[in-house]
Amino acid sequence: MTINNKSINNKLNNTFNDKSFSFDCFINYGYYVTGLSLITPPLIGYNIKKLYNPTNDIPWIKGSCKMIPKQLILRSGQLLFANQLKESTNNTFIAFAGIGITQGIIYGHCTSNWLKWIKLPFKISPNPLAGFGYAAMRDIISQGIPFYVGQNINNKLDNKYTLLAVSGTSLVSTVASQGLHNCQTIMQIKNVGYKKSAIKCWNRHGFKMLYVGCEARICMMLGVNILNYLFLRDIWK
């Protein structure tokens, strides 16, 4: 069997000439990962606080700073995984589902760490890997919709109100997906199943389960979707 070195070299050249592997692309990835790693820990902590109203003081700065190094690693792996999904399937929504699943692990890392400092009035069984289904659905809504719809609105407005379009769709999609996020957070804190987490969330908050804590995720997803627009749009479109 003969190996066609020329064919292999051509495939490698085509791959690394692709915009997903350019130097500018890696710079954009660096900005994207760093931005997300900075905003995620304090906002996840705030969401837990809104869900359970702990009475103790929370070391926001100390706790967030301790999580950032691992967040950088996790966010880098998340983006690599999502980018490979996008390249292999050519489907951005599948890529955002992949982001959602890995996002669940990243949020779970933050949740498990915050539970070392946030005192809750019940026994906890942290499981940062719980709730993949909730996570995938959440991020298809909260990131996939602004990524597409925001751009379409912006095109109709002749590209004059780019950030406004992204921000508006981000706000709506974040509130629409908050219930899924709250159910996953309860799964990660109590290590229960999908149905039981939804029941527990409903018993504690009623209809508020659909939006309680959404202000933290509005800030987070506004940041995420602006970062998507600034650093992923030209690579993933």
Side-chain angles (χ1 to χ4, degrees), residues 1 5 9-10 40 51 61 65-66 85 87 112 124 131 135 141 157 164 169 171 183 224 237:
M1 186 176 87
N5 288 327
N9 287 335
N10 286 338
T40 300
L51 278 175
I61 297 175
C65 288
K66 282 193 172 184
L85 276 179
E87 294 297 319
S112 297
I124 60 173
I141 296 170
L157 296 175
L164 181 61
T169 51
L171 174 63
C183 287
V224 167
K237 68 181 179 180

Short mmCIF file of all heavy atoms in Angstrom, two decimals, residues 1 5 9-10 40 51 61 65-66 85 87 112 124 131 135 141 157 164 169 171 183 224 237:
data_model
loop_
_atom_site.label_atom_id
_atom_site.label_comp_id
_atom_site.label_asym_id
_atom_site.label_seq_id
_atom_site.Cartn_x
_atom_site.Cartn_y
_atom_site.Cartn_z
N MET A 1 0.85 -1.19 0.00
CA MET A 1 0.00 0.00 0.00
C MET A 1 0.88 1.24 0.00
O MET A 1 1.82 1.35 0.78
CB MET A 1 -0.89 -0.01 1.25
CG MET A 1 -1.90 1.13 1.25
SD MET A 1 -3.02 1.03 2.69
CE MET A 1 -2.02 1.92 3.87
N ASN A 5 1.82 11.12 0.09
CA ASN A 5 2.23 12.21 0.98
C ASN A 5 1.71 13.55 0.49
O ASN A 5 1.37 14.43 1.30
CB ASN A 5 3.76 12.28 1.09
CG ASN A 5 4.30 11.12 1.89
OD1 ASN A 5 3.66 10.65 2.82
ND2 ASN A 5 5.49 10.64 1.54
N ASN A 9 -0.47 16.11 2.71
CA ASN A 9 0.00 17.48 2.93
C ASN A 9 -1.03 18.51 2.49
O ASN A 9 -1.23 19.54 3.14
CB ASN A 9 1.31 17.73 2.18
CG ASN A 9 2.49 17.01 2.84
OD1 ASN A 9 2.44 16.75 4.05
ND2 ASN A 9 3.52 16.70 2.08
N ASN A 10 -1.71 18.22 1.37
CA ASN A 10 -2.75 19.13 0.89
C ASN A 10 -3.90 19.23 1.88
O ASN A 10 -4.43 20.32 2.14
CB ASN A 10 -3.29 18.66 -0.47
CG ASN A 10 -2.30 18.94 -1.59
OD1 ASN A 10 -1.44 19.81 -1.46
ND2 ASN A 10 -2.43 18.21 -2.69
N THR A 40 -18.13 34.03 34.97
CA THR A 40 -18.95 32.88 35.36
C THR A 40 -19.01 32.64 36.87
O THR A 40 -20.11 32.52 37.43
CB THR A 40 -18.46 31.60 34.65
OG1 THR A 40 -18.58 31.79 33.24
CG2 THR A 40 -19.29 30.39 35.06
N LEU A 51 -31.56 31.28 44.74
CA LEU A 51 -32.37 30.07 44.84
C LEU A 51 -32.63 29.68 46.29
O LEU A 51 -33.72 29.22 46.64
CB LEU A 51 -31.68 28.90 44.12
CG LEU A 51 -31.86 28.79 42.60
CD1 LEU A 51 -31.01 27.65 42.05
CD2 LEU A 51 -33.32 28.58 42.22
N ILE A 61 -15.03 37.67 46.19
CA ILE A 61 -13.76 37.88 45.48
C ILE A 61 -12.83 36.69 45.65
O ILE A 61 -12.28 36.16 44.68
CB ILE A 61 -13.08 39.19 45.95
CG1 ILE A 61 -13.96 40.39 45.61
CG2 ILE A 61 -11.70 39.34 45.31
CD1 ILE A 61 -13.44 41.72 46.12
N CYS A 65 -11.83 34.17 42.54
CA CYS A 65 -10.43 34.12 42.11
C CYS A 65 -9.87 32.70 42.18
O CYS A 65 -9.06 32.31 41.34
CB CYS A 65 -9.57 35.06 42.97
SG CYS A 65 -9.87 36.80 42.62
N LYS A 66 -10.29 31.92 43.17
CA LYS A 66 -9.81 30.54 43.28
C LYS A 66 -10.32 29.67 42.14
O LYS A 66 -9.69 28.67 41.78
CB LYS A 66 -10.24 29.95 44.62
CG LYS A 66 -9.38 30.42 45.79
CD LYS A 66 -9.64 29.57 47.04
CE LYS A 66 -8.63 29.92 48.12
NZ LYS A 66 -8.79 29.05 49.32
N LEU A 85 -17.36 19.98 16.98
CA LEU A 85 -18.74 19.63 16.60
C LEU A 85 -19.19 20.46 15.41
O LEU A 85 -19.81 19.95 14.48
CB LEU A 85 -19.68 19.88 17.78
CG LEU A 85 -19.83 18.79 18.83
CD1 LEU A 85 -20.79 19.24 19.91
CD2 LEU A 85 -20.32 17.49 18.21
N GLU A 87 -17.34 21.93 13.13
CA GLU A 87 -16.61 21.58 11.91
C GLU A 87 -17.09 20.24 11.34
O GLU A 87 -17.16 20.07 10.13
CB GLU A 87 -15.10 21.51 12.20
CG GLU A 87 -14.47 22.85 12.56
CD GLU A 87 -14.55 23.84 11.42
OE1 GLU A 87 -14.35 23.45 10.26
OE2 GLU A 87 -14.82 25.02 11.69
N SER A 112 -20.20 23.44 42.85
CA SER A 112 -19.56 22.60 43.86
C SER A 112 -18.60 23.40 44.72
O SER A 112 -18.51 23.19 45.95
CB SER A 112 -18.80 21.44 43.18
OG SER A 112 -19.70 20.61 42.48
N ILE A 124 -26.40 18.33 51.37
CA ILE A 124 -26.09 18.47 49.94
C ILE A 124 -25.27 17.27 49.47
O ILE A 124 -24.56 16.63 50.24
CB ILE A 124 -25.31 19.77 49.66
CG1 ILE A 124 -24.00 19.80 50.45
CG2 ILE A 124 -26.16 20.98 50.00
CD1 ILE A 124 -23.10 20.98 50.09
N GLY A 131 -27.40 16.68 34.96
CA GLY A 131 -28.30 17.57 34.21
C GLY A 131 -27.88 17.93 32.80
O GLY A 131 -28.16 19.03 32.33
N ALA A 135 -28.99 21.17 30.38
CA ALA A 135 -27.93 22.07 29.91
C ALA A 135 -27.97 22.25 28.40
O ALA A 135 -27.83 23.37 27.89
CB ALA A 135 -26.57 21.53 30.34
N ILE A 141 -31.33 27.40 23.48
CA ILE A 141 -32.21 28.57 23.57
C ILE A 141 -31.41 29.84 23.84
O ILE A 141 -31.54 30.84 23.13
CB ILE A 141 -33.27 28.36 24.68
CG1 ILE A 141 -34.20 27.20 24.33
CG2 ILE A 141 -34.09 29.65 24.89
CD1 ILE A 141 -35.11 26.77 25.47
N LEU A 157 -31.93 45.73 10.00
CA LEU A 157 -31.70 47.11 10.44
C LEU A 157 -30.45 47.71 9.80
O LEU A 157 -29.91 48.71 10.27
CB LEU A 157 -31.57 47.15 11.97
CG LEU A 157 -32.82 46.74 12.76
CD1 LEU A 157 -32.51 46.71 14.25
CD2 LEU A 157 -33.97 47.68 12.48
N LEU A 164 -27.41 46.13 19.99
CA LEU A 164 -28.78 46.23 20.47
C LEU A 164 -29.57 44.99 20.09
O LEU A 164 -30.34 44.45 20.90
CB LEU A 164 -29.44 47.48 19.89
CG LEU A 164 -30.90 47.73 20.33
CD1 LEU A 164 -30.98 47.91 21.84
CD2 LEU A 164 -31.47 48.95 19.60
N THR A 169 -32.23 40.02 21.90
CA THR A 169 -32.53 38.59 21.77
C THR A 169 -31.91 37.81 22.92
O THR A 169 -32.46 36.80 23.36
CB THR A 169 -32.01 38.04 20.43
OG1 THR A 169 -30.64 38.41 20.26
CG2 THR A 169 -32.82 38.58 19.28
N LEU A 171 -31.61 38.87 26.03
CA LEU A 171 -32.49 39.07 27.19
C LEU A 171 -33.68 38.11 27.14
O LEU A 171 -33.97 37.41 28.12
CB LEU A 171 -32.98 40.52 27.22
CG LEU A 171 -34.01 40.88 28.29
CD1 LEU A 171 -33.43 40.69 29.68
CD2 LEU A 171 -34.51 42.31 28.10
N CYS A 183 -33.37 24.14 37.33
CA CYS A 183 -33.54 22.71 37.55
C CYS A 183 -32.20 21.99 37.52
O CYS A 183 -31.95 21.08 38.34
CB CYS A 183 -34.48 22.11 36.49
SG CYS A 183 -36.21 22.57 36.71
N VAL A 224 -21.90 36.62 27.43
CA VAL A 224 -21.61 35.48 26.56
C VAL A 224 -21.99 35.78 25.11
O VAL A 224 -21.21 35.53 24.18
CB VAL A 224 -22.37 34.22 27.05
CG1 VAL A 224 -22.34 33.12 25.99
CG2 VAL A 224 -21.76 33.70 28.34
N LYS A 237 -19.78 31.39 11.29
CA LYS A 237 -20.92 31.63 10.38
C LYS A 237 -20.76 30.83 9.11
O LYS A 237 -19.69 30.41 8.74
CB LYS A 237 -21.03 33.11 10.07
CG LYS A 237 -19.91 33.70 9.24
CD LYS A 237 -20.13 35.16 9.02
CE LYS A 237 -18.99 35.78 8.19
NZ LYS A 237 -19.19 37.21 7.96
#
